[in-house]
Amino acid sequence: MEPCAKVFEKLDRFNPVGVHLGEYAYFLHRRRRNFDQAEKYYKKALEVFPDQSSIHLKYAGFLRHVRRNVPGAEAEYRAAVQTGPTNADALGNYASFLHGVYQNVKDAEEYYTRAVEADDTHANNLCNYGLFLSEEKQDFLKAEKMYKRVLEVTPVHANTLYNYAVLLDTHLQRKNEAESLYRRAIDMEARHAYALYNLAVLLEEKYANEGVFLPPGSSNSNHALTPDIIRQRKQEAGLFYQRAAEADPRDATTLADYGRYIFVRLENPTMAEPLLTAALKLEATCEVALYHLALLFFRERKSTHLDQAENLLRQVIGNNPQHANGMLTLARLFADATQAMIKSAPPGGNGSVPAGYVPSSWTSKSKEVVAEECIALYEKAIALAKEPAFIASEFLKFVSMFGSNKAKLAAVKSMGQYSVAPTPTSSATAAAGSTFATTANGGV
């Protein structure tokens, strides 16, 4: 038996109505996790000490988180505030409850204000109030003041370091300061999953802007980046994605983004595939995992992969009809299959479909039907694209080879606005894997 448990039991035998009752209830609740006994002692403590704010507060937390008794918890939070009107713990916890459970912004702000006035050095209250000001009031400057105040008092407060970093990262666009704070939060709490993930995303964006992920010899390469620096930076961002996934292995978004990074940035489909698959097991509708696993299958073209790619892409578009990259990749799959159906594709070769190979579900379709579906997909992809000109050129190339005369006339007329040649003949093969793609599209 723990020494403190023996002490509590001796106190209880010596004085069954002593001042220890509230602390004993909390010990049973948090340390022993004997919830029935804890509730018995909470009730007994409040019978003996009904005006003790701290006992009401602890019991409120018990009812909220253990019993899931929201009305009961609110009654105890109210009692904690009424019996301790300057109790910063009670005021701050009630504010957090009103905000998080009831989304009662007006009353939550009142109690946050009272909590900070009661104790302007209370790290948790200041941090929570800062988050409230940022999320609910969009008062970013006042939120920053709250976070700075916490760090003056408690410079190692991990949640404040993280919340402040998010504010700087997403709202104030002060990325360098945000990076520093994310790193400090991780130093304080090595498995802070959110900080690890956000730092990985920030570093990927930063290094992309620096040109780290550009192909070797690219015309706009950053010549200050040596191969060693490029390798180190790629590995660093990937390491933070990996650590984030390990810190919270049940988070599908983190796992999917880790797989995406491995596939798109580090160009390692073998390592990426199980990560993306695992993300889909956690969340079957995870868009990042669905799309990038489809893209991986489309590029790899092993055995039944085109069937899987088509199914996954249809899920992406079904869940999000505005997914431009999903629409384009499915159009490219149809384009390659059309070419394969008429046996005009060169056998084998990087980026080509073996002649005559199409998804097994298409055995009853004619090449004319597949071509029409492909044209419709390209048109939707062009309508959704932010930069449609390169898709328009690729589309016209397909139509010129496989479209009907009517389709060709309609395509030339509709694509004229994009300033592309009406009969493109480029045979360039893009990194996206289609024999019709005229430019790379990683789909990040």
Side-chain angles (χ1 to χ4, degrees):
M1 184 181 292
E2 298 173 69
C4 52
K6 292 181 179 179
V7 171
F8 276 126
E9 290 182 2
K10 285 182 180 179
L11 286 170
D12 202 42
R13 286 195 299 269
F14 178 73
N15 183 5
V17 293
V19 295
H20 69 282
L21 287 172
E23 291 302 321
Y24 189 25
Y26 190 68
F27 169 80
L28 291 167
H29 166 197
R30 297 302 298 268
R31 292 288 297 275
R32 299 294 288 272
R33 302 186 69 78
N34 186 338
F35 299 136
D36 290 340
Q37 278 293 93
E39 186 159 24
K40 172 185 172 182
Y41 274 90
Y42 275 130
K43 289 178 177 179
K44 185 176 181 180
L46 288 171
E47 287 175 3
V48 179
F49 304 104
D51 296 326
Q52 182 63 259
S53 177
S54 63
I55 300 175
H56 284 291
L57 179 59
K58 291 182 177 72
Y59 189 33
F62 174 87
L63 291 172
R64 177 183 176 183
H65 298 293
V66 176
R67 297 304 192 201
R68 308 296 182 187
N69 181 350
V70 171
E74 182 178 15
E76 291 302 321
Y77 280 126
R78 284 186 176 276
V81 170
Q82 288 167 358
T83 56
T86 59
N87 181 343
D89 283 333
L91 292 163
N93 275 278
Y94 189 32
S96 177
F97 173 84
L98 290 168
H99 179 208
V101 175
Y102 286 144
Q103 290 78 52
N104 185 338
V105 174
K106 181 177 180 295
D107 289 347
E109 185 167 24
E110 175 191 340
Y111 282 97
Y112 274 130
T113 301
R114 287 178 59 183
V116 171
E117 288 173 351
D119 183 357
D120 67 353
T121 65
H122 194 297
N124 284 341
N125 286 346
L126 290 164
C127 179
N128 289 340
Y129 189 27
L131 183 61
F132 172 86
L133 289 166
S134 176
E135 285 187 346
E136 300 293 349
K137 310 298 287 187
Q138 284 74 54
D139 190 342
F140 305 129
L141 296 181
K142 190 173 181 181
E144 184 174 16
K145 288 180 181 179
M146 294 298 126
Y147 293 142
K148 284 183 173 180
R149 178 62 179 146
V150 178
L151 297 178
E152 287 173 4
V153 177
T154 314
V156 295
H157 196 265
N159 280 342
T160 297
L161 290 165
Y162 169 74
N163 287 342
Y164 190 10
V166 171
L167 175 72
L168 295 171
D169 185 4
T170 62
H171 297 299
L172 301 182
Q173 300 300 308
R174 286 152 55 187
K175 301 286 187 177
N176 290 338
E177 293 172 74
E179 179 184 342
S180 175
L181 289 172
Y182 283 135
R183 291 184 186 276
R184 285 175 59 187
I186 293 164
D187 286 343
M188 295 303 105
E189 190 177 323
R191 294 182 64 83
H192 196 304
Y194 294 145
L196 289 162
Y197 175 75
N198 281 16
L199 180 57
V201 172
L202 185 151
L203 289 175
E204 182 182 1
E205 179 185 332
K206 174 183 175 180
Y207 294 156
N209 291 335
E210 290 179 359
V212 167
F213 303 111
L214 290 174
S218 175
S219 59
N220 52 349
S221 295
N222 183 345
H223 298 293
L225 296 174
T226 65
D228 283 344
I229 291 174
I230 290 172
R231 183 175 60 255
Q232 290 167 7
R233 291 184 179 176
K234 285 183 176 181
Q235 290 174 348
E236 182 188 24
L239 177 61
F240 281 110
Y241 276 121
Q242 179 183 346
R243 289 179 61 185
E246 290 170 350
D248 188 359
R250 303 296 300 173
D251 189 310
T253 298
T254 299
L255 198 57
D257 256 341
Y258 179 32
R260 173 197 58 78
Y261 184 86
I262 294 296
F263 172 45
V264 176
R265 299 304 197 186
L266 300 189
E267 300 178 342
N268 187 339
T270 302
M271 183 177 175
E273 183 178 341
L275 295 170
L276 295 169
T277 301
L280 288 177
K281 288 181 180 178
L282 293 172
E283 184 182 326
T285 60
C286 180
E287 187 172 281
V288 171
L290 283 169
Y291 172 69
H292 285 90
L293 189 57
L295 189 63
L296 185 152
F297 287 155
F298 179 41
R299 291 185 184 180
E300 292 299 295
R301 306 179 185 284
K302 296 175 184 174
S303 182
T304 61
H305 275 188
L306 285 184
D307 287 336
Q308 294 171 285
E310 182 188 3
N311 290 335
L312 291 168
L313 289 167
R314 289 193 183 281
Q315 287 183 61
V316 171
I317 295 166
N319 295 338
N320 178 9
Q322 304 302 307
H323 197 290
N325 283 330
M327 199 73 71
L328 176 59
T329 305
L330 187 56
R332 287 173 170 168
L333 188 154
F334 271 62
D336 284 358
T338 303
Q339 183 164 286
M341 290 175 82
I342 64 170
K343 303 182 184 294
S344 63
N350 185 28
S352 66
V353 180
Y357 181 78
V358 296
S360 59
S361 61
W362 294 10
T363 53
S364 62
K365 292 183 179 182
S366 69
K367 64 179 181 297
E368 289 80 13
V369 169
V370 174
E372 288 176 6
E373 292 183 21
C374 181
I375 288 170
L377 287 166
Y378 265 122
E379 288 173 340
K380 290 177 183 177
I382 290 166
L384 292 171
K386 292 180 180 179
E387 298 179 3
F390 79 89
I391 307 176
S393 179
E394 179 180 325
F395 169 56
L396 286 174
K397 177 182 177 182
F398 175 83
V399 173
S400 70
M401 293 175 67
F402 304 114
S404 64
N405 289 335
K406 182 179 178 181
K408 291 175 183 177
L409 290 172
V412 171
K413 182 178 180 181
S414 63
M415 295 299 110
Q417 61 185 301
Y418 301 116
S419 301
V420 294
T423 54
T425 57
S426 171
S427 60
T429 298
S434 170
T435 55
F436 290 89
T438 55
T439 186
N441 179 40
V444 175

